[in-house]
């Protein structure tokens, strides 16, 4: 995957930070978004992030996910 790819969440991922469902569980399964960043360095130093792919679903909603939880569209 690379920045700009369209992706779909292919597994059940429960989040509590969705702007329209604050504090309530929200399942991201089958939601579509765009890869906006792949985290592999921080302040110029390499890192091994647990959730390296940042996906933007709406203007106000971005989530870090694993590559296994996503599929290319």
């Amino acid at each position: 995957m690379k920045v700009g790819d369209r992706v779909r969440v292919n597994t059940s991922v429960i989040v509590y930070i969705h702007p329209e469902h604050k504090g309530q569980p929200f399942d991201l399964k089958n939601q579509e978004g765009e890869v906006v960043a792949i985290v592999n360095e921080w302040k110029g130093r390499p890192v091994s992030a647990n959730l390296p792919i940042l996906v933007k679903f709406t203007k106000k909603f971005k989530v870090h996910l694993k590559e296994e939880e996503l599929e290319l569209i």
Side-chain angles (χ1 to χ4, degrees), residues 5-71:
D5 284 348
R6 294 284 303 162
V7 293
R8 179 181 302 122
V9 180
N10 61 9
T11 61
S12 181
V13 178
I14 305 295
V15 296
Y16 291 85
I17 58 170
H18 194 281
E20 297 171 13
H21 306 278
K22 288 194 178 199
Q24 301 172 11
F26 182 77
D27 192 357
L28 292 176
K29 187 170 185 173
N30 295 323
Q31 296 292 311
E32 295 181 7
E34 178 182 344
V35 175
V36 292
I38 299 177
V39 180
N40 54 14
E41 68 175 49
W42 183 69
K43 293 187 178 180
R45 301 170 76 185
V47 296
S48 58
N50 293 335
L51 305 169
I53 302 172
L54 180 60
V55 179
K56 179 179 177 182
F57 293 100
T58 65
K59 186 176 180 180
K60 295 182 177 182
F61 184 54
K62 296 179 190 174
V63 177
H64 287 269
L65 297 166
K66 297 177 188 175
E67 188 169 353
E68 301 85 46
E69 298 170 331
L70 300 169
E71 63 183 14

